[in-house]
Amino acid sequence: MCRFSSRSPWFGTSPLTGARAGRKTRGMTQRFTGSFTQQEPIPEAAIEAALAVLRHGRLHRYNTAPGETAETALLEQEFAAFTGARYCLAVASGGYALGCALRAVGVVPGDRVLTNAFTLAPVPGAIASVGAVPVFVGVTESLVIDLDDLALKADQADVLMLSHMRGHICDMDALMALCDARGITVIEDCAHTMGAAWNGMPSGRHGLVGCYSTQTYKHINSGEGGFLVTDDEAVAARAVMLSGSYMLYERHLAAPGPEVFEAIKYDTPNVSGRMDNLRAAILRPQLADLPAQARRWNALYQAMEAGLRDAPGLTLIDRPQQEAYVASSFQFLLLDWAAEAVQAVVAGCAARGVELKWFGTPEPTGFTSRYDSWRYAPSEPMPRSDRILQGLLDMRLPLTFSEADCAVISGIVREEVGKMV
Ligand SMILES: *Cc1c(COP(=O)(O)O)cnc(C)c1O
């Protein structure tokens, strides 16, 4: 796998992927030719497990042969163990998990729900899907929720949907102390923190409910999919019923006992959003590999950090010691730069094969949008957050990259930023 148009002796071969890094020497301009959206293939063990499901044909999670335990039920049991949660439900998507969690904790139309101004569209979308109204809370230079702004807005809602956007975890001890004192229920959006932790506690386990995504660009890949975990038996039972369990909840291995369902089964609607056995079969081997994959992601992240450290004009994101991250993406700030100068860096990098996403564009593009582009949920202007978003650049770090690739990418970014300072 050669990402470069010419090979060069002074770049080695990655110990991880065998990818050869090099540079195009013509004009002394390095170009990167890897794909920022190319994930690794599905592991062979997962392909084998998927074929077994396809061969027997029982893809629906409640379609089991006598004595058989569905892949989906086994996956839930394994994910509960992975996070240390009592209960786990696998669902159709991360966004579904978020909406399901809101319903399960009792959010009703017209309620206000606090959430991050810096997050991805499915988060305010999940709030809107239950007829509730997002109240946006600002973002800090560390790319986490602004706890001062949260304290100011705490009396506006009983629920916080906290998004660990791009894997940055705020001081969860301080956040939980604040929310507990103000009687705020916390639902965590862990789309980018599966496998991460704060102060030794897995991400998704501080709040009442943790929600995860298994969509292709997240930490394990089933195309689409998600999880919800909780220790609360009533929330868990309502979530199982909501996901569309009919009256087959006894087939779950990571759900409360039937007596808990007896109390809620006539009053909980079926808002169908189950996971199926094919996706569960693909995910089980990937979940087992996640700690090793996390180490690889972090090696790429640290290679990017090393390549950009002390670059004039560029601010790296500080990562607190209590945070154990899984860095599947990389961010940096060009704080207080003129928009045209940021645009020039983005264009210069793009011309050399490095795709940067900029959160300062007035129009939402691709996956990038910001709180003021969600016009169904109007908000007060947040100048301090706008300053961060206007300087925020973001890139994926797929595991098809090597550390040598990251050295090339960071070199290009460093040069393009350097041209403007
Ligand atoms: C991807 C994502 C989601 C939703 O996950 P889907 O599985 O795509 O529905 C939620 N929050 C964040 C921050 C995400 O990046």
Side-chain angles (χ1 to χ4, degrees):
M1 231 205 304
C2 180
R3 307 186 178 292
F4 302 94
S5 26
S6 72
R7 294 181 179 194
S8 167
W10 59 83
F11 279 89
T13 296
S14 159
L16 294 172
T17 62
R20 184 185 292 273
R23 59 166 84 191
K24 185 174 177 179
T25 45
R26 181 159 26 95
M28 298 295 285
T29 303
Q30 263 177 317
R31 237 193 97 79
F32 182 66
T33 57
S35 165
F36 282 81
T37 52
Q38 182 60 58
Q39 304 291 358
E40 288 191 301
I42 299 300
E44 284 305 319
I47 294 172
E48 288 302 317
L51 287 175
V53 172
L54 290 173
R55 290 197 170 106
H56 67 54
R58 293 183 293 279
L59 274 70
H60 191 287
R61 68 168 296 163
Y62 299 120
N63 180 201
T64 47
E68 183 184 31
T69 306
E71 290 282 343
T72 310
L74 292 168
L75 173 66
E76 288 167 341
Q77 192 175 47
E78 289 161 5
F79 197 74
F82 179 75
T83 54
R86 283 174 75 191
Y87 308 118
C88 173
L89 174 69
V91 294
S93 74
Y96 182 88
L98 295 170
C100 183
L102 289 166
R103 286 191 170 89
V105 306
V107 171
V108 295
D111 282 358
R112 294 160 75 82
V113 174
L114 294 156
T115 195
N116 306 56
F118 173 48
T119 185
L120 206 74
V123 177
I127 296 169
S129 79
V130 301
V133 181
V135 176
F136 296 110
V137 182
V139 60
T140 71
E141 271 182 49
S142 305
L143 303 189
V144 297
I145 195 164
D146 181 345
L147 294 180
D148 296 332
D149 196 31
L150 179 62
L152 285 175
K153 293 172 177 165
D155 58 355
Q156 294 189 34
D158 300 326
V159 174
L160 165 65
M161 179 159 274
L162 172 66
S163 185
H164 305 296
M165 178 65 170
R166 293 296 186 259
H168 298 276
I169 305 179
C170 74
D171 181 340
M172 287 303 295
D173 304 315
L175 179 129
M176 289 311 300
L178 171 68
C179 290
D180 288 345
R182 307 291 284 264
I184 295 174
T185 297
V186 178
I187 297 170
E188 294 181 69
D189 165 28
C190 305
H192 303 156
T193 55
M194 184 189 287
W198 176 265
N199 239 344
M201 190 187 289
S203 184
R205 301 287 296 129
H206 294 82
L208 183 62
V209 188
C211 300
Y212 306 79
S213 169
T214 64
Q215 191 235 77
T216 294
Y217 299 113
K218 312 302 162 84
H219 296 174
I220 55 178
N221 174 9
S222 59
E224 305 287 354
F227 296 109
L228 178 161
V229 301
T230 184
D231 284 349
D232 185 293
E233 61 178 28
V235 168
R238 280 198 291 269
V240 169
M241 291 299 298
L242 283 162
S243 75
S245 62
Y246 302 97
M247 295 297 159
L248 300 167
Y249 44 79
E250 287 187 62
R251 305 231 189 127
H252 286 243
L253 298 175
E259 68 289 352
V260 185
F261 287 90
E262 288 301 325
I264 56 111
K265 69 180 185 185
Y266 301 109
D267 304 306
T268 309
N270 176 331
V271 185
S272 198
R274 292 171 303 276
M275 179 170 282
D276 59 84
N277 289 333
L278 182 57
R279 285 189 268 177
I282 293 172
L283 290 171
R284 291 180 64 208
Q286 293 184 64
L287 181 61
D289 284 347
L290 181 53
Q293 300 289 78
R295 285 191 288 277
R296 292 177 57 205
W297 259 308
N298 292 348
L300 299 182
Y301 184 90
Q302 282 148 21
M304 284 297 305
E305 252 186 347
L308 290 174
R309 198 171 303 288
D310 302 323
L314 180 153
T315 307
L316 292 175
I317 310 303
D318 85 322
R319 310 294 313 234
Q321 228 200 322
Q322 300 96 314
E323 182 194 30
Y325 55 76
V326 179
S328 50
S329 65
F330 186 86
Q331 293 74 40
F332 63 88
L333 293 167
L334 299 178
L335 263 185
D336 303 322
W337 280 44
E340 303 71 46
V342 180
Q343 254 152 357
V345 169
V346 171
C349 287
R352 298 171 68 181
V354 173
E355 275 173 46
L356 295 177
K357 288 181 269 179
W358 180 36
F359 278 83
T361 46
E363 272 304 303
T365 46
F367 289 103
T368 308
S369 59
R370 32 185 288 167
Y371 72 94
D372 52 4
S373 36
W374 305 320
R375 294 188 197 160
Y376 59 85
S379 60
E380 295 293 309
M382 285 187 265
R384 293 205 302 172
S385 295
D386 294 343
R387 172 176 173 254
I388 307 300
L389 295 172
Q390 266 149 28
L392 178 57
L393 292 148
D394 175 38
M395 71 178 82
R396 288 203 176 95
L397 288 179
L399 285 176
T400 50
F401 287 2
S402 65
E403 288 174 55
D405 289 337
C406 291
V408 173
I409 295 165
S410 59
I412 291 172
V413 172
R414 202 182 176 97
E415 280 177 20
E416 294 300 320
V417 168
K419 285 180 188 169
M420 304 302 298
V421 293

